[in-house]
């Protein structure tokens, strides 16, 4: 496997993990963005991976902030 392919496989695995965790929390927007990112990295869907990753990170941060607010 080439370096880029290895990175894509690892990134897809992380997106899959986020998708599952977000689903368990009921964070549906985050789960869906993680699914889109995972499938794009695996070549099952087309999309701009850089944009998807930026959107995923933004939703992840928003979800963390919302969870922290619940603890206050």
């Amino acid at each position: 496997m080439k370096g880029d392919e290895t990175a894509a496989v690892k990134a897809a695995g992380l997106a899959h993990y986020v998708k599952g965790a977000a689903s368990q929390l009921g964070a549906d927007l985050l789960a869906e963005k993680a699914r889109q990112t995972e499938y794009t990295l695996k070549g099952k869907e087309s999309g701009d991976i850089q944009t998807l990753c930026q959107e995923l990170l933004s939703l992840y941060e928003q979800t963390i902030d919302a969870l922290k607010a619940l603890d206050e």
Side-chain angles (χ1 to χ4, degrees), residues 2-71:
K2 296 178 184 175
D4 287 345
E5 291 174 2
T6 302
V9 168
K10 288 181 181 179
L14 290 172
H16 180 81
Y17 177 81
V18 171
K19 177 181 72 175
S23 293
Q24 290 293 317
L25 291 170
D28 297 335
L29 292 175
L30 178 60
E32 175 57 20
K33 189 58 66 178
R35 185 202 64 76
Q36 291 173 349
T37 304
E38 175 190 4
Y39 283 25
T40 299
L41 285 162
K42 289 181 175 180
K44 294 181 178 181
E45 291 184 6
S46 62
D48 179 12
I49 196 60
Q50 185 173 356
T51 299
L52 286 168
C53 287
Q54 289 171 346
E55 292 171 350
L56 179 61
L57 179 59
S58 177
L59 284 169
Y60 174 82
E61 290 171 344
Q62 290 173 35
T63 301
I64 294 298
D65 289 345
L67 290 171
K68 286 179 181 178
L70 292 174
D71 193 38

